[in-house]
Amino acid sequence: MDEQDETITEPEEVPPLPSWALWSGALGWWLADALVTVSQVRLLQYAGEAPTSEGPLWRMALGSSLLWVPITVLCLRLSEWFPLLRPRWRRAGAVHLAMLATVVLGRALFVVLTQDVFGWYARPPGFGTVLAQSVVNNVLPYVLMTAGAHALGLARRAHVRQQRASRLQARLAEARLQVLTSQLRPHFLFNALNAVAALVHKDPDAAERMLARLGDLLRHGLESSGRQEVTLREELDALAPYLDIERTRFGERLAVEWRLAPDVLDARIPHLALQLLVENAIRHGLAPRAEPGRVLISAARDGDSLHVQVRDDGVGLPPSGLPRHGRGVGLSNLRARLAALHGTRATLELRPGQPRGTVAELRLPLPSRGGEVAA
């Protein structure tokens, strides 16, 4: 399964059908069923094949059909609450079988108890015969209703997934364009090329290396495959050329420290999320001051979460909590992508560091230790 498919099969909330729609639809359907039944029997009456008079005919048709209205509503609700999908299909199957047995038994009792009102039988049979007749008459309609309800639920889930995938694609495209814009912004290129020019005569090897990494950085941005998530290992590979360029530019003013737990390198992370946090730390935390600074990048498992932290000892957050030279668009975009991918299970927090600087903390859901880390 590729990354996009795995993303869109994440559990998502499908809102239940409104009650008024269920009741109106069920009532209309079964009234139509009663009308069709009466019409068919009347045709038989005209042909002399059905001696039933019109009064009992309407009572029986309406009594039998309208009893299906609450059953239909309950069947649709049960299909929403207990869909026959993995991993809980056994429990859901037991619930639906219990409901089927209740419907068969309940309708048999209804026939026996209302025999005097509706006149179902000219000669009332024993309860065993009524129950057997109920099995014949009701099992197939209930099974068909359950199948139809599940088909409706699957169609609605597919629609929600399609909408969700479209939103994610739009968010990813926006994020990619934003990162590309950030990476290609004139002053970044100007500073990088100035650093290259300064190194050409003093340290030609360093200048050549910086140009190569600048090419790698641009290629990573332009050749983005459109994936929603990548492994942490891939994200670190994409981050490397950016850090190499910044190390060359800042020299001894920039130190980068890594603390990465090996068991989370294959965990998934939104594409370009880590690069955004590191770029914010360097651009807004370390660049405004002349003293040397340090960026600490760490990733580890914390229970069922991937805990990624980018800590710098720079100038810290302004009172607004947003980067000093920006409007926090990148962080807002990342939060929106996290919400679309994982709902409330993923968080991004920005807080002051101690004794100085800024800490960006990203938490993403991980499989339990008994399961395999998604790759």
Side-chain angles (χ1 to χ4, degrees), residues 223-305:
E223 293 181 355
S224 176
S225 61
R227 290 183 296 173
Q228 316 272 357
E229 293 177 296
V230 296
T231 64
L232 180 59
R233 193 190 309 275
E234 292 173 308
E235 183 76 356
L236 295 173
D237 290 340
L239 179 63
Y242 172 78
L243 283 176
D244 285 347
I245 292 173
E246 295 294 46
R247 282 196 195 97
T248 305
R249 285 182 52 207
F250 284 84
E252 295 181 352
R253 288 179 54 208
L254 173 62
V256 180
E257 182 178 348
W258 304 86
R259 294 179 187 174
L260 305 173
D263 62 333
V264 298
L265 293 179
D266 289 328
R268 293 191 174 280
I269 183 172
H271 188 30
L272 302 175
L274 183 56
Q275 183 166 326
L276 173 68
L277 300 182
V278 173
E279 183 178 351
N280 273 348
I282 295 175
R283 181 184 175 193
H284 302 293
L286 303 183
R289 70 176 197 176
E291 297 86 0
R294 183 174 67 100
V295 175
L296 170 61
I297 303 170
S298 62
R301 177 187 283 272
D302 183 8
D304 291 334
S305 298

Side-chain angles (χ1 to χ4, degrees), residues 16-30 69-70 72-78 80-81 149 152 156:
L17 290 169
S19 296
W20 67 265
L22 287 183
W23 283 100
S24 300
L27 183 61
W29 175 269
W30 287 111
V69 173
T72 301
V73 173
L74 186 55
C75 177
L76 290 171
R77 284 291 187 230
L78 286 179
E80 292 177 344
W81 298 334
L152 177 63
R156 297 182 69 218

Side-chain angles (χ1 to χ4, degrees), residues 98-147:
M99 183 60 189
L100 174 60
T102 302
V103 168
V104 170
L105 181 61
R107 286 185 67 89
L109 288 172
F110 177 80
V111 168
V112 170
L113 295 175
T114 59
Q115 167 63 28
D116 294 336
V117 177
F118 292 96
W120 304 106
Y121 296 95
R123 294 180 181 178
F127 182 74
T129 302
V130 176
L131 183 61
Q133 191 67 39
S134 179
V135 172
V136 173
N137 292 339
N138 299 313
V139 169
L140 183 58
Y142 186 86
V143 171
L144 291 177
M145 279 197 305
T146 301

